[in-house]
Amino acid sequence: MHPSLVLLSARLLDPVTGRLLPQTALAASGGRIAALGDDREIRALAGAPTTVIDLKGAVVTPGLTDGHLHPVTGAELTHGLDLSGCGDLEAVREALAGEVRRLVPGAWLHAWGLDPNVFGDRPVGSAALSPVLDGVPATLLLFDAHSMLASPRALELAGVDGPRTFDQAAEVVCDADGRPTGLLLEDAACELVERAAPRPTRAESRDRLAAALRSMAAAGLTGGHVMDANGDSAALYAELDAAGELPLRLRVAPWCRPGADADAVRELIGRQGTGGALWRTAGVKLFMDGTIDNGTAWLEKPDCHGESTHAFWPDPQAYTRVIGELHRAGVPTATHAIGDAAVRHALDAVAGATAAGGPSVRHRIEHIETVPDDTLPRFAELGVIASMQPTHCCDFTRADHTDNWSRRLGEERASRAWRCRDLWDAGARVVLGSDWPIAPFPPLGVMAGARHRRPSRDLTQPPHGPEQALTALEALRAMTVNAAWAAGEEQEAGRLAVGCRADLTVLADSPLTTAATDLPELPVLLTAVDGRPTHRDASV
């Protein structure tokens, strides 16, 4: 049987050692790497149905995997006005005014990527954007996707005219007179307004998702650990997979929210392993807190506004019990924990679950934005994966700590930002990702950010916590070897070896010798998933 894909004249990069393999060619068959060798012997395996590509010395790595993605949500949320490039309030107003001029009267305005730092010392509220949004129903998603600004007209159409009570951490922020300011914190509050806005059709959602995934493949991604399965997500993945249009291998973890009863947990357990050829349900996503920027993280000491003092679960012990039940069922968990108290509680819950016995399960904690020293060794001790997004530090905080995140935390805690190096040195398995749509998904940018820790929009700016940078090899491992280990797939992914999956990323040069500041511009020449090209540059 002839291979489906043959790559010749390649430099095959081993992410374990950082060295090139002695072979120069690769053949893929049945979705696996079938042979490694020199050009002559691998070329001889090709037949009429084989796609043969001469890479002319390009570098092949195991397929790059994003450790934390939201493809369906991202495809929906990033449809509209992109405010992520607006560095001050005047730029936001100008962008909104231009969008309003293009709107049909009565239509909703949707925007995303709003940086709270543009408000400076002013409260984050819709009043700062008047009269630009006068009479216009508008939702402006803040960059963390945990909070939103709704215009007065949007609040009116949604019937939101005062504070609300929720069964999870969420808030309709109101002024001293009980009138909404427009700021909505966390999903439960945001959904009040989102329900009133027009929704995309199923066909629109499918097309947006397919386009986003194609862009990810073109950026060099072959896989992603998906941290939600809300709404029609699973059905959309299944539809694209069945049509042969799924260009990434996806590992999907549905959410478990506060208030989940025994039946809900059993349903999550029962969904494990379901999926298709290139996607499967594996794990459960939980939230221990919100975000530091909007005051909904869970900190051991309040932030400078007296906020971030509560867990997302009104009863944190209920979360602990759910972790125990999922652990006993052999289900890996991924817990969103940003604040130090949230991270500590998540680690305590895993420690209790493992101490009670049961199967070996690889649990994860997502984000880990600020933690004290005594937390670091516990990741390795408990085998908990540290899932990090360094570009959040690069683009949403500043080295001088004048940003909103740092000012809320204060100097001591802001100096413990995104401790990738400390966690790595403490023995933790560090996995890197983007958390798209919170930050851009191109994996070369994620690896670059882990190395330089500078704002991607201005690389001349100083780095935030340069002592926490990873090396080039560590960053590559975090998106290949470690991502495979986190998924329990280290025997079949994350390496260039016969029998491993033929999920491959081909770059114009080595990511190990390319300067961190130049890495995002390194051309991606080919991406292959299951031995099938999902992106091919015209040069190859």
Side-chain angles (χ1 to χ4, degrees):
M1 182 176 179
H2 295 295
S4 58
L5 177 68
V6 159
L7 303 180
L8 303 172
S9 302
R11 288 183 284 164
L12 305 178
L13 181 58
D14 178 11
V16 177
T17 65
R19 295 191 293 269
L20 296 175
L21 297 177
Q23 299 90 348
T24 60
L26 174 155
S29 180
R32 302 278 171 166
I33 297 174
L36 299 171
D38 62 31
D39 284 13
R40 181 187 55 78
E41 61 186 336
I42 298 301
R43 185 189 294 273
L45 301 175
T50 305
T51 299
V52 179
I53 302 175
D54 185 342
L55 294 179
K56 304 170 186 175
V59 173
V60 181
T61 74
L64 300 178
T65 296
D66 190 308
H68 190 120
L69 272 177
H70 301 275
V72 174
T73 305
E76 179 178 339
L77 295 182
T78 57
H79 181 77
L81 178 63
D82 181 2
L83 297 174
S84 62
C86 297
D88 56 43
L89 205 50
E90 189 55 39
V92 172
R93 290 178 180 135
E94 289 179 8
L96 291 173
E99 188 73 3
V100 168
R101 287 193 292 270
R102 289 187 285 272
L103 285 178
V104 175
W108 283 66
L109 185 156
H110 297 285
W112 58 280
L114 178 62
D115 186 344
N117 286 300
V118 302
F119 292 88
D121 294 329
R122 302 178 58 162
V124 179
S126 58
L129 303 175
S130 298
V132 179
L133 297 178
D134 184 34
V136 177
T139 58
L140 317 179
L141 191 72
L142 273 71
F143 77 78
D144 62 9
H146 283 251
S147 44
M148 166 191 295
L149 270 183
S151 68
R153 178 57 175 158
L155 292 171
E156 179 185 0
L157 290 174
V160 179
D161 55 8
R164 298 288 181 91
T165 301
F166 303 97
D167 60 3
Q168 57 189 250
E171 182 181 0
V172 176
V173 178
C174 296
D175 62 21
D177 297 321
R179 294 189 296 262
T181 67
L183 182 59
L184 307 171
L185 304 180
E186 299 299 336
D187 284 351
C190 296
E191 287 169 0
L192 297 175
V193 173
E194 289 170 340
R195 286 196 293 264
R199 304 296 298 167
T201 66
R202 172 62 179 271
E204 288 172 335
S205 294
R206 183 193 189 280
D207 290 346
R208 292 175 190 175
L209 173 61
L213 292 172
R214 286 194 298 270
S215 296
M216 291 177 187
L221 281 175
T222 65
H225 297 173
V226 177
M227 293 297 161
D228 62 60
N230 305 322
D232 290 335
S233 295
L236 290 169
Y237 296 140
E239 186 175 333
L240 291 177
D241 193 26
E245 298 176 25
L246 192 58
L248 266 68
R249 190 183 302 275
L250 302 177
R251 181 178 187 268
V252 182
W255 286 359
C256 180
R257 295 176 179 267
D261 58 17
D263 288 341
V265 175
R266 279 194 293 270
E267 192 271 336
L268 287 169
I269 294 170
R271 289 172 67 179
Q272 300 301 304
T274 60
L278 289 177
W279 73 280
R280 66 184 177 94
T281 303
V284 169
K285 169 77 179 296
L286 305 97
F287 289 82
M288 202 64 252
D289 64 352
T291 69
I292 287 165
D293 275 292
N294 70 17
T296 59
W298 187 19
L299 300 172
E300 294 179 337
K301 295 179 182 178
D303 65 19
C304 70
H305 298 294
E307 298 176 336
S308 285
T309 58
H310 302 290
F312 185 72
W313 289 61
D315 177 9
Q317 293 309 312
Y319 160 88
T320 300
R321 289 191 291 273
V322 170
I323 292 290
E325 186 169 352
L326 293 170
H327 179 87
R328 288 191 295 275
V331 177
T333 63
T335 297
H336 168 121
I338 280 178
D340 44 20
V343 174
R344 191 180 302 279
H345 189 90
L347 289 169
D348 288 345
V350 172
T354 55
S360 175
V361 184
R362 293 176 184 175
H363 299 287
R364 325 165 33 132
I365 296 181
E366 312 296 314
H367 309 309
I368 320 166
E369 292 185 7
T370 179
V371 288
D373 291 346
D374 68 336
T375 308
L376 300 173
R378 299 189 67 199
F379 282 83
E381 291 166 3
L382 295 168
V384 172
I385 294 132
S387 174
M388 310 286 286
Q389 297 77 45
T391 45
H392 296 194
C393 182
C394 295
D395 291 340
F396 305 134
T397 71
R398 299 171 187 155
D400 62 5
H401 295 171
T402 58
D403 58 280
N404 180 59
W405 184 94
S406 299
R407 285 186 286 117
R408 275 185 173 268
L409 285 178
E411 199 62 26
E412 179 186 355
R413 289 181 294 193
S415 68
R416 304 194 298 244
W418 285 268
R419 301 180 72 174
C420 298
R421 160 60 51 213
D422 289 342
L423 281 160
W424 192 289
D425 288 348
R429 292 269 186 172
V430 176
V431 172
L432 297 182
S434 65
D435 196 15
W436 188 76
I438 311 307
F441 55 69
L444 297 181
V446 173
M447 291 193 292
R451 293 167 56 185
H452 64 61
R453 295 176 68 95
R454 298 173 185 270
S456 59
R457 285 176 289 191
D458 185 359
L459 293 170
T460 66
Q461 293 296 311
H464 189 168
E467 72 282 356
Q468 294 300 331
L470 297 180
T471 68
L473 180 56
E474 288 165 346
L476 178 61
R477 286 176 181 166
M479 300 199 79
T480 54
V481 178
N482 288 4
W485 194 90
E489 298 172 346
E490 65 271 22
Q491 299 303 317
E492 59 178 351
R495 298 176 298 127
L496 296 179
V498 173
C500 285
R501 289 173 178 158
D503 295 353
L504 310 166
T505 302
V506 180
L507 306 171
D509 205 349
S510 172
L512 304 186
T513 57
T514 303
T517 51
D518 295 334
L519 186 59
E521 304 308 317
L522 184 64
V524 178
L525 302 183
L526 182 75
T527 312
V529 174
D530 217 36
R532 174 176 62 90
T534 54
H535 161 73
R536 184 174 179 178
D537 186 79
S539 65
V540 295

